[in-house]
Amino acid sequence: MDSIDRKILAELQSDGRLSLTELAERVNLSLSPCHRRVRALEQSGAITGYRASLDPAKMGFNFLAIVFATLKEGDRKAVSAFEDAVEEIPQIVLAQRLFGDPDYLMHVVTRDLSAFQKLYDEKLSAMPGVQHLRSTLVMKTVVQDRPFPLETTGRD
């Protein structure tokens, strides 16, 4: 990946709706080479997709909790069963497996506290292999969906 590819990615992170013509202009390429580079970045997996960024509050998701999960067992079967269950709960908008304790960090969105309590009681606590869950409420989101810092040398 060279500096032109990083410029293309930076521009697309900033505005994924750019036309190829606008993108080519911004990165100082003609249309055909820009198009080839974008396709190559998509095929390599550097670009994984395009989507709209939404405001959770405007979608009715006024409650955000971070839930930490510790599993009873750490074997492949238990991890796979837990991760399959996580994928089935649409209110979990981010889930990450961690080193150490706890085993997982999940961002959960709901309409309000009572919706979170119901989700917690009926689905989160019923996920397979869970030893215990801990949750904390998000007071304020300071940074969300920040673009990757592509203008650096790539060593950061």
Side-chain angles (χ1 to χ4, degrees), residues 2 12 17 29-30 32 44 54 67 80 93 102 124 127 146:
D2 63 14
L12 288 174
R17 294 185 68 182
L29 283 178
S30 61
S32 284
S44 74
L54 306 178
V67 179
S80 182
V93 296
L124 298 177
M127 290 189 294
R146 176 180 279 163

Side-chain angles (χ1 to χ4, degrees), residues 63-115:
F63 191 86
L64 174 60
I66 298 173
V67 179
F68 299 96
T70 301
L71 302 184
K72 294 175 192 170
E73 303 290 329
D75 61 85
R76 186 178 307 184
K77 185 177 179 183
V79 166
S80 182
F82 178 81
E83 290 179 1
D84 288 346
V86 166
E87 288 188 25
E88 295 298 317
I89 301 173
Q91 294 90 340
I92 300 173
V93 296
L94 173 68
Q96 297 172 307
R97 188 173 176 194
L98 308 174
F99 280 107
D101 187 37
D103 296 310
Y104 289 87
L105 174 148
M106 300 174 287
H107 285 236
V108 178
V109 296
T110 61
R111 290 182 320 278
D112 52 30
L113 176 60
S114 65

